[in-house]
Amino acid sequence: MTSKNPNETNERARASSSTSSSLTSQTKGVINTEVSEEMRKAYLDYAMSVIVSRAIPSIEDGMKPVQRRILYAMNQMGVKPGTQTKKSARIVGDVIGKFHPHGDTAVYDAMVRMAQNFSLRYPLVYGQGNFGSIDGDPPAAMRYTETRLTPISMELLQDIEKETVKFVPNYDNSLKEPELLPGKLPTLILNGATGIAVGMATNIPPHNLTEVCDALIAYIKKPDITIEELCEIVTGPDFPTGGMVQGDMVDLYKTGRGRMIMRGKVSTEAINKKESIVITEIPYMLNKTTLVTQIANLIQNKKIKNVTDLRDESSKGKIRIVLELKKDTNSKFVMNSLYKYTRLQDSFNVNFLALVGREPKILTLKDVVEQYVKYRKTIITNRVKFELKKAKDRQETVEGLLIALKNIDAVIKLIKGSKGAAEALEGLVKTFKLSKKQAQAVLDTKLQQLTSLERDKLDKESKELKLNIAELEKILGDINEVLKIIVKEVNELKKKYGDNRRTYVLKRISEISEKDLVQKRDVVVTITDKGYVKRMDVKTYREQKRGGKGVIGSGLATGDFVKQLITCSTHDYLMFFTTRGRVLWLKAYDVPSAERYSKGKAIVNLLGLKEEKITNVISVNTFAPPGVSQEGTRPQTAEGGGNDDLFMATKKGIVKRISLKHFSKPRASGIKALNLPTDNSDFLIGVEVVKKNQEVSLATMKGQAIRFNSEDVRSMGRSSYGVTGIKLSKDDGIVGLEVLDKAAILTITKKGYGKRTAVEDYRKTARAGKGVINMKVTAKTGDVVKTLSVNPEESIIITTAKGIVIRTSLKNIRVMGRATQGVRIVKLQPEDYVTDLVKVPDNDINGNGNGNSEEK
């Protein structure tokens, strides 16, 4: 419908034209740009916002924005030391409403941490109520708790009203807030900081105030001081929870990055006539309840052993965790287990990142000291300028009052004759040559200040102001005067707040190895035919005379018998060789300790066996790196070394020599040591450790033996089968592989007969021969069970199928020729027979036996 009003029509036309022009303008203002570039710019803007406005503290005052706003808001509210505390909710509300437009939880959490004496070395807020605990208990809601500033936080705010720092508009431009605090204290290094930003993070440990103050003074006196010299003053971090710390402090303070090891403080006490371990200090930022739970779980899982009771006796902020130990337990090994398996020993990764002039930068120790001094120079200079301006303004006023008092009658007459204040002000300025400020001060003067006494006060004040102005101008004119003020203030801080170190700095913490966790002692590991294994102390077996009945070595299941008995140290590796030529590893102390009457634990629960049985076990003390040799071996034990070899023999007389270095990296799943035929026609019967040019012997169950040099067998890899060691007759097989490093060879038969034969009686031949007679085998003696290379002063342990164990000295077994049948060594029960023969360690051959026996 057409409008009849011409003015209305013109208005519509103008509006249409305006809209069209606006759209055209918008179209022309489109910026063509890559989305990736726009996203990159937006992400960088966001990242810098997080870095500068949230996560990373400033080096100048050591504060993050939320912390700075909390302290400033509390100062503005008047909740200062000595005043009544105010509800935390009230303070949080003020911070959010005026300065920090974020969630109340973020503000309250920041304030809570500033009140926790286990989080901050020098707390900045005094909290009344539940502010959480080192056990990880959460703080009470903000409506229940109350706070006020601590004296040390007032040092950060001191002189803020003297135009020392720049004030900027708050988020809604309704108020002003400080960009930084005056920061009389180097808070960043004293309390440390933790923050995760975008693409970077900071993790600064706390330090001791006394040491930091000494470092500041040393730098001011010697600006070219080295970091090494500063490290002699600042010896390391000082955590609020105490404990111990170790690390390369010089490198850490030189680079601003590094890793430190923290340890709790542990001591021993006699409680209930038992030695107990007491933990009184824990690493920084560790939850005590988490630590106690972790220790309890490790005790339950037998990872930490010999602990009978665990109690948390902490109270009133003092930590006390007690671990009662079993009788005769060495506390050293339990302590090492705590350090190894729990967070009682923890790491702290230092990243000294802070904002320097609103830019993130990694700082060295000297950088921190230098930046503090630089910032304090600015603050003190601004303060002196403020005080100088104030002093000059007051001096101007005082001089005007003195002029007025000198001409008091004329001044009074002028004021009385004036029609108003403005006329009086103008008359004073013209008549007495006063400034407007001085004239106004005269007009504001009370009659009581016209006395002669007040004049004397003004004269005195004028002189003092002149001296003060001269002093302030001197400070502004000489930077050394500013440095003197900084030194004076730092000394005051040290005297007022300085304290002793809580954290002890260790020079070195060595890495905890297995030998530090388990007491080293000789043990006997028994393995049965049905696959049960256990560990007992070697002194369980006492020596008996020849012909004794022995003691019970195992409480065996029906039809089971002891197949192998190994003497070794608890620190040794046990290498389990299987019938299929595989080898698996287990630490000797990981074998369950059991009493003599216990059958032990099934090997399948300890090792990953695959339709195979354990045929032989040797103990290895250490594995040296390839090419490095270590001297010294002991029976059935390899001390390790690049020149040491393993010598293997199979039932069919096949032998193989392989370097021990091929087994230097134990695997839980095991590795192949010998490549046996797939038809299971042969299996491994023996493994020994040999050195260069050592001789070996192979003994058969039908009484044959061969002696040859181990070097006759070339060194092979793990995947090879081997070469012929001895030619066997029908129905014969290898039962013994020995390294000939002793005076004689001991042979024992199935029915308990045995003898010693000098090694010289065995003619040395090349490998792959038929050998010579070792023992005359008859129905009376039974087939040969085992041979051993022995010396006359050693003792042996013999086991039988029914679990009887006898220990006897070789002095009781005389040396005989090769072709004899030997003498009865062990008296067997009906249907019992010998299954194994081993030597007792050289350091425990005397025993304590009296010839008596124990039977089931």
Side-chain angles (χ1 to χ4, degrees), residues 12 25 88 228 280 304 342 363 407 412 498 543 584 629 651 769 773-774 799:
R12 287 179 180 176
S25 176
S88 299
E228 287 82 0
T280 53
I304 296 178
T342 74
L363 302 167
N407 304 280
I412 292 173
E543 186 175 306
L584 301 103
S629 178
K651 189 72 175 178
I773 295 174
N774 174 38
T799 58

Side-chain angles (χ1 to χ4, degrees), residues 755 757 761 773-777 816-822:
K755 64 168 185 167
T757 303
D761 287 357
I773 295 174
N774 174 38
M775 187 174 188
K776 186 177 179 181
V777 174
M816 303 179 188
R818 288 189 293 106
T820 61
Q821 66 179 7

Side-chain angles (χ1 to χ4, degrees), residues 54 92 271 335 361 400 522 543 611 706 757 809:
R54 294 192 192 182
V92 170
I271 301 175
M335 286 183 189
K361 182 182 178 183
D522 289 325
E543 186 175 306
E611 298 180 357
I706 189 170
T757 303
S809 172

Side-chain angles (χ1 to χ4, degrees), residues 62 116 178 227 292 383 464 476 562 566 618 680 728:
Q116 292 174 337
I227 294 178
V292 174
R383 184 181 70 194
E464 289 175 352
L476 290 177
V562 175
I566 307 297
I618 67 169
N680 296 333
L728 299 174

Side-chain angles (χ1 to χ4, degrees), residues 188-208:
L188 185 62
I189 194 170
L190 293 181
N191 278 329
T194 302
I196 300 174
V198 179
M200 61 183 66
T202 184
N203 202 23
I204 303 169
H207 289 76
N208 182 266

Side-chain angles (χ1 to χ4, degrees), residues 254-429:
K254 270 186 173 181
T255 62
R257 299 175 184 270
R259 181 174 179 268
M260 299 181 299
I261 303 297
M262 302 181 295
R263 272 188 177 181
K265 185 178 179 182
V266 182
S267 60
T268 58
E269 293 181 14
I271 301 175
N272 299 328
K273 297 182 180 180
K274 292 182 181 179
E275 188 175 29
S276 298
I277 293 175
V278 180
I279 302 169
T280 53
E281 295 175 4
I282 62 176
Y284 182 52
M285 298 305 291
L286 174 60
N287 186 314
K288 179 167 65 67
T289 299
T290 301
L291 175 64
V292 174
T293 303
Q294 191 179 23
I295 294 173
N297 290 336
L298 289 168
I299 293 172
Q300 188 175 9
N301 296 332
K302 307 295 184 183
K303 200 75 174 178
I304 296 178
K305 302 174 183 178
N306 300 321
V307 178
T308 59
D309 192 19
L310 171 64
R311 300 188 303 273
D312 185 1
E313 298 179 353
S314 306
S315 64
K316 296 181 180 178
K318 292 185 178 180
I319 294 173
R320 182 178 170 84
I321 303 169
V322 180
L323 289 85
E324 284 192 8
L325 306 180
K326 291 181 180 178
K327 188 177 179 181
D328 299 327
T329 298
N330 192 329
S331 59
K332 170 189 171 184
F333 298 102
V334 180
M335 286 183 189
N336 287 336
S337 296
L338 290 171
Y339 291 139
K340 178 78 173 179
Y341 299 123
T342 74
R343 289 188 63 195
L344 192 63
Q345 177 171 309
D346 207 356
S347 62
F348 189 100
N349 295 307
V350 178
N351 190 28
F352 220 116
L353 178 76
L355 297 177
V356 180
R358 298 180 68 82
E359 290 185 6
K361 182 182 178 183
I362 297 290
L363 302 167
T364 66
L365 177 60
K366 189 172 181 179
D367 290 337
V368 174
V369 173
E370 191 175 14
Q371 288 296 329
Y372 169 82
V373 174
K374 180 181 177 182
Y375 183 61
R376 286 303 294 170
K377 284 180 187 176
T378 304
I379 296 298
I380 291 170
T381 301
N382 290 344
R383 184 181 70 194
V384 170
K385 287 179 179 178
F386 176 83
E387 290 174 348
L388 179 61
K389 180 177 179 296
K390 188 176 180 182
K392 284 183 175 180
D393 287 346
R394 179 58 182 168
Q395 185 189 35
E396 182 183 355
T397 301
V398 170
E399 287 177 351
L401 292 174
L402 286 172
I403 292 172
L405 287 173
K406 187 177 181 181
N407 304 280
I408 187 63
D409 293 333
V411 169
I412 292 173
K413 183 178 179 182
L414 188 149
I415 293 172
K416 285 176 68 178
S418 301
K419 294 181 179 180
E423 185 179 336
L425 180 68
E426 189 177 346
L428 290 171
V429 169

Side-chain angles (χ1 to χ4, degrees), residues 152-169:
I152 205 168
S153 63
M154 294 305 297
E155 306 290 350
L156 297 172
L157 294 157
Q158 186 177 316
D159 301 326
I160 196 169
E161 74 285 352
K162 294 183 179 180
E163 299 178 3
T164 51
V165 294
K166 180 182 177 182
F167 276 73
V168 295

